[in-house]
Amino acid sequence: MDLLGELEDTEWRDTVQLYKEEVRNMSLFIIVLKPSVFVCSVLNEDWTCKDLYGFQKGLSHLEQNLRKRVYGPNLIDVPVKPYMKLLFEEVLNPFYMFQLFSITLWMIDHYFVYAICIFIISVLSICISLYEIRKQSITIRNMARFVTNVTVRRNSGAEQCVSSVDLVPGDCIIIPQDGLLLPCDAALLDGECLVNESMLTGESVPVLKTPLPAGERTYSSETERRHTLFCGTQLIQAKGGGQEGSGAIAVVTSTGFFTAKGNLVSSILYPQPTNFRFYRDSAKFLLVLSFVAMFGTIYSFVVLFTSNATWLELVIRSLDIVTIAVPPALPAAITTGTIYAQRRLKNQGVFCISPPRINISGKVSVFCFDKTGTLTEDGLDVWGVMEGGPSGFSELVPEPRLLPTGHMLSGLACCHTVTLLRGQPLGDPLELKMVESTGWVLDAEFGGHRVLAVMRPPTQQLSAQGPVSRFPFSSALQRMSVVTVAQGGRSALAFIKGSPEMVASLCRAETVPAQFSSKLRNFSSEGLRVLALAYKPLDRKHSQGEVEKDMQFLGLMMMKNLVKPESAKVINVLRLANLRSVMVTGDNILTAVNVAKSCGMVGSDEKVIFVNATPHTAQSMPTLRFTLEDGGTTTAQSSVEVITQVGPAQRQHCSTPLLSPSHSFPDTLSLQVLLRTTVFARMALGEQCWTALASVASPFTSKTDNISCVPLLIREGRCSLVTSFSLFKYMALYSLIQLCAVLILYTVKTTMADLQFLVCDIFVVTVLAIVMGRGGPSKELDPRRPSASLLALPVLGSLFIHTCIIILGQLSALFITTSQDWYIPLNSSVYGSSNLPNMEDTSVFLLSGFQYIIMAVVVTKGYPHKKPLYYNVIFLCILFVLFAMMTWLMVYPGSIVRQYLQLYDFSDMNFKILLVAVAALNFLLCFVVEVSDDMTLIFPLRTIVKDIKTYVQ
C-alpha cells in the first residue's frame, strides 16, 4: 500500500498502473488511462451484503484517504473543451479536411470567387458547430455535476460533515429525516427511505427503500434495487434509522461515473452507434462515387495529356475531378430532412435528442407497449373485495370500508408502502386508492413515538396498527409484505399482498378456497386487476423468507383499470398500416387479453392461444404448453400479440425482433413508460418525463400521456427517411451531372467558368437541397414501409439510367451546337478557361443547369409517405424561379450577365428553343424512369428474385 500512497495525482493521471492487493474484503484492480478520463473497475464487485454491514461503523481518516487515491473524487465531471481544442478537432474532421483540400486546389486553379464562397460557408459552419458542441457540453456538465455536504460516521463513533466530493465506497453516511439529493450510490442498512427516482427513470411515483438483508450473497445494485439508493435521486423522507429513528444509515457503494447517474451520463456522452442500413449504405455508396471519381480522374488525365497540357495543369485538373465526383456536402445535405422532421415533432410536443433515430422509426414494423399507464389509465378504482377461506368465498363487497372488522380489512389498511409527507399521503396510486377505500387514515404518532407509518381506523373500537418492518413490492417476486403491531406492541401480524397465483402458492393449501381458480379467471376475463391478500400471526422477528410462508388466505381485491380512449384509435391505425402491436405487462394473462380486446389489439373474433413456459429445473426440462382460450390445444403457427407476467429484467428482452409467419425479421420499436431498454427507439410519455434526466437518455419524449404520438412519430420517420433517400439520390446525381459536363468539355479542350460553377453549386443545388426536405408527412399511414437500402437494384438501376439520360442530353446539346451552319470551332492552340466564352461550354452549361432542377423534381417523392409536392410551397416557388432563370439565361441573358458568366451570345432563336425542348425531353424521360421504378414496372427482376427465394425456402 506504500507504493500506492506515494503516487501523486500528476503521476496516476498520466501513467498506466496495475496493482492488486486485498484490503478489507476489497479486490483492487486499477487501470488508469491517459489522458483525462480513467477507468477503475473490479474494485468492489465481490462485496457481500455482510461485508457492507461491516462498514456500518465507518472508515478511519487514513483508510478514507487511501480509498480516495484509488477511486478518485466523487464527481461526475464532464469535461468542457476550450474553443481552440474544439477547433483543432473540428478542422481535422474528414469533411473539413476535404473542404480544405478542395479550397486549396481551387485557389491554385484561380477559382477565387467560388473558393472564397466555400471558405466563408465552411467557417460559418465550423463556428456554429463549435458553439453548439460547447453549449451542449456545458449543459451536460451542469446537469451531471453536483456537490453537497454529507454527514459521515467515522470508526471512532464520531459523525463528521464532509463534502460529497470526498466520499468513497465504504463510507457510512447518515441520511437526515428530511432527506437529501443523493450524490452517490449507497446500500441502505438501517431505516426506510422514500425516494423520488424520476430523475433516473421518469417515474413520478415515489419508491420505498428498505434495509438490505444481511447475508453471504454478493451485493449487486441491480438485484438489490429495493435496498439501494441511487445517485441523483431525491430522498424525500427517511425514518427508522439513526438516533431515535430520526433518519437512515447507508453505506456508499459507488461514486462518480460508476454510479447509476454516472452510467446514464456516460450513455449520453457516448451513445451506442445506430446500425441502420440506410447509414451503412450511405458510406458504401460514397465508395462507389470514389470509383467513379477515379475513372473520371484517369479519363481527364489521358485527355489533358494528349492536349499537351503542363504537368501542373494535369495534376490540378485531375484532382479537381475528385472534388466534383464526391460531393463533400453530401453528409450534411441528407440530414436536412431529419432536421425538419425534428422541428415538426417538437412543435407537436414530441422532443427528440437523437435525430438519426427519426429515420430509423420510419422502418418500424412492431410496437411493444407497456399496459398500465400506456394503454390504460394510470389510476385504478377499487371495484370490490371478496373474503375467502376453507369454506369458500363470501359475497362481493363493493367497498372495503363495508367489510366486517377482521384481518381482511386490517390487511387492506396496512399492507402498503404509503407514507406521510408534510401531512399528505404519498405512494403508489394503487395503494393510495386501496387505503382510501378502507376509511382508515394515515398518522405519524403511535404511542408517543415516531414510527414508519400508523393506520388508524375510523372508529375508536379498533386499535391502530403500525408496521415494524416492510418488504416493498418486487416485480420479480410479484408480492409485498409487512409486519404490523397493534398499539402497545401487541398482536404482531404479517400481511402479504400480490398476484393471486403467487399469494396462493405461499398459503397453506387448506386455507385457499376451492373456487379460487374459477373466480380468478372470471374476474380477470372482465379486465379487472386482481390482488390477493393473506396473513399469519408472528411471535418474533423473522426474515422475509420466513414471513412469507405458511400464510392464511384472506381474499381477493379487484380494481378496475380503464383503457385510455386514444388507445383503441391508435391501435386501429397501426393495424390498418400493417404495424403489429404487442403488449408487454406483468399482469394476469386474462386481464391482459381483456385489455388487448378492448383496445383492438386482438380482434373479438380471433382465437387466443395461451403459451405457458416452464423453466428448467433439476427434476424437469423446460417446456412450452399451448392452450386455446376455450381450453383446447393447438400447434398452429401464430403471431405474438400479448406477453404477460413479465418482470423488468425480462422486459429488456421483449423488444428484440419478434418472429411470426408474416414478419421473419421485423424492426421493433419499444414504447414503454418506465423501461429503459429498447431496440431502436424508446419514448417517454407524460409531462413528468419531459424534464427528467431519463428522458435525456431516451431518444423520444412526448408531452402527451397517451399513445396518440405513435402514428405521428411513424409518419414523421417515414417522411424523414424518404426525404433523406431523395436528397442522397439528388446529391449523387448532382455530382454525376457536373462530372459528365466537365469531362465532355475537357474532351473538346475547354471547361466551365468559375461563376458558372458558383451559380450551379450555390444558387441552384444548395438552395434546392435546403428546401427540398420541407414537405411534411402524409396524413395517413400506408401499409407499405419505405425502403432503407441505397444499394438495392431499383435504386442503382434508376441512378444508372438517369446518368445515361444526363449524358445523352449533354451530348445532344453539344452535337446540336456543332451541327449548326453558324458553328465556329474552338481555337485548338489554347486550352481550358482561355477558350471562354465558347459555344460548346454555353450549350452544355445551360442544359446541365436545367438538369439540376429537373432532378430535384424527379427524385422528390410524395405519395404515399409525404404530402404532394405542391404542399411544399417554398420549394415549388423556388423551382419556378430557377426554371425561369435558366430559360432566361438560355433565351436572352443580357449583355452584363453574359459577360460575367462568360456565355456565348447565340443569335439563332430556333436553336435556343431547340435546347429548351431537349431539356423538356430530358425531364420527361427521367420522370418516366422514376415513376416506373416506383411502380416496379421497369424492374421485373425484383419479383423474379422474390419468387426464386420463396421457391427455395
Side-chain angles (χ1 to χ4, degrees):
M1 296 307 297
D2 293 336
L3 173 63
L4 190 62
E6 293 173 359
L7 287 175
E8 296 295 330
D9 288 355
T10 55
E11 295 174 331
W12 60 258
R13 285 188 182 276
D14 298 324
T15 312
V16 175
Q17 296 289 339
L18 184 63
Y19 184 79
K20 187 171 183 179
E21 186 171 326
E22 295 295 328
V23 180
R24 285 195 66 184
N25 301 316
M26 179 175 65
S27 177
L28 298 181
F29 184 82
I30 309 165
I31 302 176
V32 185
L33 299 177
K34 188 177 178 179
S36 60
V37 178
F38 70 90
V39 176
C40 180
S41 62
V42 201
L43 286 163
N44 51 8
E45 69 171 11
D46 59 350
W47 277 353
T48 65
C49 299
K50 183 179 179 180
D51 294 334
L52 291 176
Y53 273 92
F55 292 114
Q56 195 169 2
K57 295 180 179 179
L59 301 176
S60 66
H61 286 281
L62 179 62
E63 192 166 10
Q64 195 272 342
N65 290 331
L66 176 63
R67 286 171 178 265
K68 187 175 180 181
R69 287 187 177 273
V70 174
Y71 290 93
N74 177 32
L75 277 177
I76 304 176
D77 197 6
V78 177
V80 178
K81 299 177 183 178
Y83 276 113
M84 290 305 298
K85 187 174 182 179
L86 285 174
L87 177 63
F88 182 74
E89 292 178 353
E90 190 72 10
V91 171
L92 288 181
N93 184 295
F95 168 74
Y96 290 114
M97 292 297 293
F98 188 69
Q99 289 282 47
L100 181 62
F101 162 76
S102 301
I103 292 171
T104 304
L105 183 66
W106 295 329
M107 294 293 286
I108 295 174
D109 201 26
H110 304 292
Y111 289 165
F112 296 116
V113 177
Y114 185 66
I116 292 172
C117 289
I118 297 299
F119 176 77
I120 294 173
I121 293 174
S122 299
V123 169
L124 289 175
S125 176
I126 290 174
C127 292
I128 294 173
S129 178
L130 293 182
Y131 173 77
E132 290 294 333
I133 292 174
R134 185 172 171 83
K135 180 182 176 182
Q136 291 174 5
S137 297
I138 293 174
T139 301
I140 296 175
R141 183 189 64 180
N142 294 338
M143 177 184 64
R145 187 183 177 92
F146 175 71
V147 178
T148 187
N149 291 326
V150 182
T151 301
V152 299
R153 178 183 291 171
R154 296 301 178 202
N155 63 346
S156 61
E159 295 181 359
Q160 180 183 7
C161 183
V162 300
S163 171
S164 61
V165 178
D166 298 325
L167 289 177
V168 296
D171 266 331
C172 180
I173 60 176
I174 310 299
I175 300 172
Q177 184 176 353
D178 294 335
L180 79 161
L181 186 62
L182 202 65
C184 60
D185 283 0
L188 185 62
L189 302 184
D190 191 15
E192 289 185 346
C193 290
L194 191 65
V195 185
N196 181 358
E197 294 187 337
S198 62
M199 182 60 70
L200 294 179
T201 65
E203 170 56 55
S204 61
V205 177
V207 180
L208 183 69
K209 303 287 185 173
T210 56
L212 178 74
E216 296 296 335
R217 67 182 184 279
T218 302
Y219 170 80
S220 169
S221 61
E222 287 301 318
T223 57
E224 307 291 348
R225 292 186 68 88
R226 294 185 300 160
H227 317 294
T228 302
L229 308 173
F230 293 104
C231 177
T233 59
Q234 179 67 54
L235 274 62
I236 302 173
Q237 195 176 59
K239 289 183 179 181
Q243 297 179 357
E244 300 181 357
S246 59
I249 298 174
V251 168
V252 178
T253 56
S254 299
T255 57
F257 275 99
F258 299 100
T259 61
K261 181 180 178 182
N263 290 332
L264 191 55
V265 172
S266 298
S267 68
I268 298 171
L269 295 174
Y270 309 104
Q272 292 184 353
T274 54
N275 188 23
F276 189 41
R277 186 171 186 176
F278 176 77
Y279 300 126
R280 297 198 310 267
D281 287 358
S282 299
K284 295 176 182 177
F285 198 85
L286 286 177
L287 294 177
V288 175
L289 291 179
S290 300
F291 283 113
V292 174
M294 186 183 302
F295 167 77
T297 301
I298 296 173
Y299 178 81
S300 62
F301 185 88
V302 173
V303 170
L304 294 173
F305 184 79
T306 57
S307 302
N308 298 322
T310 64
W311 280 105
L312 179 62
E313 287 180 327
L314 282 173
V315 173
I316 292 175
R317 290 287 176 265
S318 300
L319 293 177
D320 192 33
I321 293 298
V322 178
T323 66
I324 294 173
V326 183
L330 179 60
I334 62 176
T335 62
T336 57
T338 305
I339 293 172
Y340 285 126
Q342 183 182 17
R343 185 181 302 172
R344 289 192 297 267
L345 285 171
K346 184 178 180 180
N347 292 336
Q348 299 187 65
V350 179
F351 183 70
C352 174
I353 63 162
S354 181
R357 293 183 184 265
I358 298 178
N359 279 349
I360 298 174
S361 65
K363 285 293 291 180
V364 168
S365 65
V366 178
F367 256 94
C368 294
F369 295 98
D370 189 21
K371 183 180 77 70
T372 306
T374 303
L375 296 173
T376 64
E377 301 286 354
D378 282 318
L380 293 95
D381 295 317
V382 177
W383 188 80
V385 291
M386 185 177 284
E387 292 187 276
S391 59
F393 283 99
S394 67
E395 293 295 325
L396 179 70
V397 178
E399 291 190 32
R401 70 180 72 231
L402 301 178
L403 284 170
T405 302
H407 294 309
M408 182 68 177
L409 181 60
S410 298
L412 291 172
C414 298
C415 193
H416 56 78
T417 57
V418 176
T419 187
L420 276 180
L421 179 65
R422 301 181 185 90
Q424 296 295 323
L426 197 65
D428 186 271
L430 182 150
E431 295 183 334
L432 288 172
K433 285 283 187 181
M434 182 183 73
V435 172
E436 180 186 353
S437 68
T438 63
W440 290 43
V441 294
L442 196 65
D443 197 0
E445 296 295 331
F446 193 56
H449 300 285
R450 299 186 65 87
V451 294
L452 300 177
V454 179
M455 298 306 302
R456 294 195 181 277
T459 61
Q460 297 298 326
Q461 289 88 1
L462 299 176
S463 299
Q465 297 191 24
V468 293
S469 62
R470 291 191 279 202
F471 306 101
F473 177 78
S474 167
S475 297
L477 300 177
Q478 301 180 31
R479 62 185 183 271
M480 71 154 295
S481 57
V482 298
V483 177
T484 67
V485 293
Q487 195 162 3
R490 299 175 287 104
S491 306
L493 296 174
F495 291 99
I496 185 173
K497 175 183 89 231
S499 72
E501 298 91 343
M502 179 57 68
V503 171
S505 69
L506 299 173
C507 293
R508 299 202 309 268
E510 66 271 15
T511 66
V512 180
Q515 307 89 351
F516 172 80
S517 297
S518 60
K519 289 290 184 183
L520 176 60
R521 183 179 182 87
N522 291 337
F523 289 135
S524 299
S525 299
E526 295 177 16
L528 299 173
R529 183 168 185 178
V530 185
L531 297 176
L533 284 91
Y535 90 106
K536 76 174 181 180
L538 294 175
D539 54 359
R540 59 186 177 85
K541 189 175 181 179
H542 295 274
S543 65
Q544 183 177 7
E546 294 173 327
V547 167
E548 297 174 345
K549 69 178 182 180
D550 297 329
M551 306 290 287
Q552 298 181 39
F553 188 83
L554 283 176
L556 302 174
M557 179 183 68
M558 285 66 69
M559 307 192 81
K560 186 70 173 177
N561 191 201
L562 299 176
V563 176
K564 292 180 180 179
E566 299 85 1
S567 297
K569 299 176 183 177
V570 172
I571 297 298
N572 184 56
V573 170
L574 298 179
R575 197 183 185 97
L576 294 176
N578 285 340
L579 291 170
R580 286 181 57 210
S581 301
V582 177
M583 181 197 305
V584 183
T585 178
D587 283 354
N588 181 278
I589 190 170
L590 294 173
T591 304
V593 168
N594 181 275
V595 173
K597 289 183 177 180
S598 300
C599 64
M601 192 174 290
V602 176
S604 58
D605 57 339
E606 293 180 343
K607 288 188 176 181
V608 178
I609 301 172
F610 298 144
V611 183
N612 296 299
T614 304
H616 180 271
T617 64
Q619 294 80 20
S620 63
M621 296 294 291
T623 60
L624 282 177
R625 183 164 56 89
F626 299 85
T627 308
L628 285 173
E629 191 174 13
D630 55 10
T633 59
T634 179
T635 57
Q637 281 189 321
S638 304
S639 61
V640 179
E641 306 297 344
V642 181
I643 305 175
T644 64
Q645 296 181 327
V646 179
Q650 297 166 315
R651 295 189 199 193
Q652 297 180 5
H653 306 287
C654 292
S655 301
T656 53
L658 303 173
L659 300 180
S660 73
S662 58
H663 300 282
S664 58
F665 193 81
D667 299 325
T668 307
L669 181 84
S670 178
L671 178 69
Q672 303 166 357
V673 180
L674 306 180
L675 302 183
R676 295 177 56 190
T677 58
T678 61
V679 172
F680 288 128
R682 169 182 173 267
M683 183 177 290
L685 297 180
E687 190 73 32
Q688 72 274 11
C689 297
W690 185 258
T691 56
L693 181 62
S695 67
V696 178
S698 170
F700 302 100
T701 304
S702 173
K703 278 190 172 182
T704 58
D705 60 354
N706 55 66
I707 63 172
S708 60
C709 54
V710 171
L712 170 66
L713 177 60
I714 296 295
R715 289 191 289 110
E716 288 289 359
R718 291 182 174 185
C719 175
S720 175
L721 181 57
V722 169
T723 302
S724 299
F725 215 92
S726 299
L727 282 165
F728 194 98
K729 291 179 67 175
Y730 178 65
M731 295 303 292
L733 288 169
Y734 144 66
S735 297
L736 293 172
I737 290 171
Q738 196 165 90
L739 177 65
C740 294
V742 169
L743 292 180
I744 289 173
L745 293 177
Y746 278 2
T747 306
V748 295
K749 298 184 179 182
T750 187
T751 187
M752 292 173 60
D754 192 2
L755 283 179
Q756 291 176 3
F757 279 112
L758 186 67
V759 168
C760 293
D761 293 340
I762 302 299
F763 296 103
V764 179
V765 175
T766 302
V767 172
L768 288 174
I770 290 174
V771 299
M772 188 185 294
R774 287 182 58 88
S778 60
K779 295 182 179 180
E780 304 293 334
L781 275 176
D782 193 79
R784 297 165 296 175
R785 291 183 297 160
S787 173
S789 175
L790 286 168
L791 300 181
L793 180 62
V795 179
L796 295 177
S798 66
L799 286 176
F800 175 76
I801 296 178
H802 285 320
T803 304
C804 293
I805 296 174
I806 288 166
I807 296 173
L808 288 175
Q810 293 179 3
L811 289 176
S812 298
L814 178 64
F815 292 147
I816 290 173
T817 302
T818 57
S819 64
Q820 300 298 315
D821 296 336
W822 38 260
Y823 168 69
I824 302 175
L826 282 169
N827 185 357
S828 58
S829 61
V830 294
Y831 176 82
S833 58
S834 301
N835 263 326
L836 296 174
N838 59 67
M839 298 181 181
E840 291 86 348
D841 165 65
T842 302
S843 59
V844 173
F845 161 70
L846 292 175
L847 188 70
S848 65
F850 274 111
Q851 289 175 334
Y852 296 128
I853 307 170
I854 289 168
M855 287 303 161
V857 178
V858 168
V859 301
T860 301
K861 301 293 178 64
Y863 178 84
H865 304 299
K866 287 182 63 177
K867 290 180 179 178
L869 180 62
Y870 53 80
Y871 277 92
N872 191 348
V873 179
I874 296 178
F875 179 57
L876 195 62
C877 292
I878 290 176
L879 283 177
F880 284 128
V881 170
L882 291 178
F883 268 122
M885 183 189 75
M886 292 308 303
T887 304
W888 170 62
L889 289 176
M890 177 104 47
V891 178
Y892 185 72
S895 59
I896 298 178
V897 174
R898 190 167 57 245
Q899 179 181 352
Y900 276 103
L901 293 180
Q902 295 181 272
L903 299 176
Y904 188 86
D905 184 14
F906 292 114
S907 57
D908 189 346
M909 183 58 68
N910 292 330
F911 168 76
K912 297 176 182 179
I913 294 175
L914 183 57
L915 287 184
V916 174
V918 171
L921 180 61
N922 194 330
F923 171 75
L924 180 61
L925 291 175
C926 290
F927 184 79
V928 170
V929 168
E930 197 68 19
V931 171
S932 300
D933 176 32
D934 292 340
M935 302 299 293
T936 65
L937 296 177
I938 194 172
F939 294 106
L941 186 60
R942 175 190 294 177
T943 305
I944 296 173
V945 171
K946 184 177 180 180
D947 291 340
I948 292 174
K949 287 183 178 179
T950 304
Y951 177 78
V952 171
Q953 292 173 353

